[in-house]
């Protein structure tokens, strides 16, 4: 068994697509119209294009419990998911220059360094670097 897709709930698929590709650097993998303006829209990492896909899921628009859960995580400041990076400080500086808003600047926490940003689509996302 292996992970092939991770779903991230977004309130606007096109806005999320622009953010995740233009600012974060992910690549479009699949973009299949599903009707009613919804898409099966997946992205992959430039560093691992054959790895797991991110599905930009419009669930909060169509399923109220998803929206409530997403809102509760944002309000509590809890990241929806995390992305591993080689250097949190470098990624933090790069993303800040692109206008990405961080709620947590790089901070060491034991054997990792983390930072948290807002993806503009209803989620906090955590960057994590494993320290040697």
């Amino acid at each position: 068994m292996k992970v092939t897709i991770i779903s991230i709930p977004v309130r606007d698929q096109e806005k999320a697509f622009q953010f995740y590709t233009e600012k974060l650097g992910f690549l479009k993998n699949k973009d299949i119209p599903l009707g009613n303006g919804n898409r099966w829209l997946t992205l992959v990492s430039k560093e691992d294009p054959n790895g797991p896909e991110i599905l930009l899921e419009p669930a909060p628009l169509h399923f109220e419990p998803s929206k409530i859960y997403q809102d509760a995580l944002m309000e509590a400041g809890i990241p929806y998911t995390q992305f591993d990076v080689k250097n949190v400080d470098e990624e933090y500086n790069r993303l800040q220059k692109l206008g990405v808003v961080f709620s947590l600047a790089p901070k060491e926490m034991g054997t990792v360094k983390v930072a948290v940003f807002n993806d503009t689509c209803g989620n906090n996302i955590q960057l994590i670097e494993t320290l040697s």
Side-chain angles (χ1 to χ4, degrees):
M1 194 176 312
K2 68 178 183 174
V3 175
T4 57
I5 294 179
I6 177 93
S7 178
I8 297 177
V10 298
R11 300 195 177 185
D12 181 320
Q13 283 186 304
E14 185 57 33
K15 183 178 178 183
F17 174 72
Q18 298 302 322
F19 181 86
Y20 280 76
T21 57
E22 293 174 9
K23 300 207 180 207
L24 301 185
F26 287 98
L27 304 172
K28 179 169 63 173
N29 189 49
K30 294 181 182 89
D31 190 355
I32 303 166
L34 298 175
N36 298 324
N38 298 309
R39 299 147 67 184
W40 183 262
L41 181 56
T42 68
L43 310 173
V44 292
S45 168
K46 282 182 187 177
E47 297 169 12
D48 190 9
N50 295 314
E53 297 172 72
I54 296 171
L55 171 62
L56 299 177
E57 174 66 58
L61 302 176
H62 309 289
F63 187 59
E64 187 64 21
S66 177
K67 182 179 182 299
I68 292 167
Y69 178 66
Q70 187 184 36
D71 288 345
L73 287 176
M74 277 297 283
E75 187 175 316
I78 298 171
Y80 186 84
T81 195
Q82 74 179 31
F83 300 137
D84 288 8
V85 296
K86 292 178 183 170
N87 186 306
V88 165
D89 292 316
E90 286 178 9
E91 199 63 22
Y92 172 81
N93 291 329
R94 182 185 79 78
L95 292 172
Q96 271 204 313
K97 288 177 186 171
L98 292 172
V100 174
V101 176
F102 281 79
S103 58
L104 178 67
K107 179 178 180 178
E108 285 191 26
M109 298 179 158
T111 61
V112 297
K113 185 181 277 191
V114 301
V116 178
F117 65 87
N118 182 318
D119 77 351
T120 74
C121 301
N123 305 294
N124 288 309
I125 305 292
Q126 179 170 278
L127 300 178
I128 187 166
E129 170 190 351
T130 302
L131 303 172
S132 26

